[in-house]
């Protein structure tokens, strides 16, 4: 091969490689965009229709069916009006005291959680709002990775932009885990107290709200000192909690 042909061949290969890399990047960007559109369309649909399941429900059902192929989840949808205001206040008091004020992220809570994690040198607190928890429950997993937190933030922005605070709280109360195979306020009220969600008392509501961070453990340890202590704290905070 002559010296004149070698540079031309090298330039041809370099140009082909550049075009291939550009096409690959554009393809990956298009896939990422379509992935976000998939989330967006679900949230738009849920403005007027109720989710029948969630990522957390599907993951938990898969685990239960590894032990028992016939296992199922306890879940029944109840409308916002059918959920006791005591439970709404208790959950807001426990999980997101500034729910009506923020736009999906409570930066004061995040800062407080960050300081607590640094002090204890472990992931002890997350500072997540109800909207962030809803994003995670509906679409993601409970793994604490940078990618999952980034995706959670994007979905949270969509949720806050497209859904009212009342709708966010309604869906949240209907999809979160409340015990071993128990999801949503309707199933939780029946499972623990044998009553509809509309009939929950103040103390029952506070107790259920206290379970949210570790529902399966507290389902099996219903008189755990930490659970009862947090219930008392929530009871004291409930009067100040405002619901949409």
């Amino acid at each position: 091969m002559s010296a004149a042909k070698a540079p031309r061949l090298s330039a041809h290969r370099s140009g082909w490689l550049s075009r291939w890399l550009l096409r690959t990047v554009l393809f990956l960007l298009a896939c990422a965009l379509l992935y976000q559109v998939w989330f967006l369309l679900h949230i738009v649909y849920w403005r007027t229709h109720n989710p029948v399941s969630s990522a957390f429900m599907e993951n938990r059902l898969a685990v239960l069916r590894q032990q028992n192929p016939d296992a199922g989840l306890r879940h029944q949808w109840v409308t916002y009006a059918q959920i006791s205001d005591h439970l709404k206040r208790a959950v807001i008091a426990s999980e997101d005291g500034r729910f009506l004020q923020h736009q999906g992220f409570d930066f004061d809570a995040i800062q407080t959680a960050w300081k607590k994690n640094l002090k204890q040198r472990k992931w002890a607190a997350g500072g997540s709002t109800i909207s962030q928890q809803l994003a995670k429950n509906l679409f993601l997993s409970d793994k604490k990775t940078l990618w999952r937190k980034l995706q959670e933030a994007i979905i949270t922005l969509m949720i806050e932009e497209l859904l009212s605070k009342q709708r966010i709280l309604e869906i949240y109360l209907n999809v979160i885990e409340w015990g071993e195979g128990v999801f949503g306020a309707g199933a939780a009220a029946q499972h623990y107290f044998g009553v509809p969600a509309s009939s929950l008392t103040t103390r029952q509501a506070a107790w259920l709200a206290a379970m949210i961070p570790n529902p399966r453990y507290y389902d099996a340890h219903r008189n755990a000192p930490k659970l009862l202590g947090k219930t008392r704290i929530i009871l004291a905070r409930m009067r100040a909690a405002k619901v949409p």
Side-chain angles (χ1 to χ4, degrees):
M1 183 181 293
S2 67
K5 289 183 179 180
R8 286 199 297 269
L9 183 58
S10 177
H12 174 75
R13 288 177 177 174
S14 177
W16 177 86
L17 180 61
S18 296
R19 290 192 297 272
W20 182 84
L21 287 174
L22 178 61
R23 289 170 182 170
T24 301
V25 170
L26 291 175
F27 174 76
L28 292 175
L29 288 174
C31 290
L33 180 60
L34 288 173
Y35 190 49
Q36 303 310 313
V37 170
W38 182 83
F39 293 130
L40 182 67
L41 292 175
H42 277 78
I43 295 168
V44 170
Y45 181 77
W46 289 334
R47 293 179 71 174
T48 54
H49 297 76
N50 300 325
V52 296
S53 186
S54 71
F56 269 40
M57 289 184 198
E58 292 168 4
N59 291 340
R60 192 62 200 149
L61 183 59
V63 171
L64 291 174
R65 285 186 173 171
Q66 288 177 358
Q67 305 167 356
N68 176 11
D70 297 324
L73 301 179
R74 280 163 286 187
H75 175 248
Q76 59 184 84
W77 186 276
V78 287
T79 66
Y80 190 79
Q82 294 173 320
I83 301 173
S84 167
D85 283 347
H86 297 313
L87 185 60
K88 297 167 190 172
R89 290 193 180 90
V91 169
I92 289 175
S94 173
E95 298 298 303
D96 191 357
R98 298 185 65 252
F99 176 60
L100 295 183
Q101 283 74 50
H102 63 67
Q103 299 301 311
F105 306 93
D106 187 342
F107 294 103
D108 290 338
I110 293 172
Q111 185 178 27
T112 300
W114 179 253
K115 291 178 179 178
K116 184 175 181 180
N117 293 334
L118 286 177
K119 184 177 181 180
Q120 299 188 16
R121 296 184 179 181
K122 65 178 182 178
W123 193 279
S128 295
T129 63
I130 284 174
S131 299
Q132 287 175 273
Q133 292 180 46
L134 180 60
K136 179 179 67 175
N137 272 263
L138 286 173
F139 295 109
L140 307 172
S141 72
D142 58 356
K143 294 181 180 179
K144 295 180 174 65
T145 64
L146 180 60
W147 164 249
R148 201 272 287 165
K149 292 299 292 184
L150 176 60
Q151 185 61 76
E152 176 189 298
I154 295 171
I155 297 172
T156 298
L157 291 172
M158 295 180 191
I159 286 173
E160 283 281 339
E161 184 65 28
L162 294 169
L163 303 179
S164 68
K165 289 289 187 179
Q166 179 174 308
R167 184 60 172 163
I168 291 171
L169 185 59
E170 179 183 21
I171 297 176
Y172 177 83
L173 291 172
N174 273 286
V175 301
I176 60 171
E177 187 175 18
W178 244 310
E180 187 63 71
V182 180
F183 285 84
Q190 289 290 343
H191 177 62
Y192 294 109
F193 305 112
V195 299
S198 59
S199 299
L200 290 167
T201 66
T202 304
R203 182 168 294 278
Q204 289 170 343
W207 187 83
L208 284 175
M211 293 185 70
I212 292 174
N214 202 352
R216 274 174 273 142
Y217 174 83
Y218 289 134
D219 190 357
H221 303 83
R222 301 185 186 186
N223 293 311
K226 188 174 181 180
L227 176 63
L228 300 179
K230 188 172 182 181
T231 299
R232 289 191 290 270
I233 294 172
I234 295 171
L235 281 168
R237 294 177 178 174
M238 283 175 63
R239 291 182 182 179
K242 298 184 183 299
V243 300

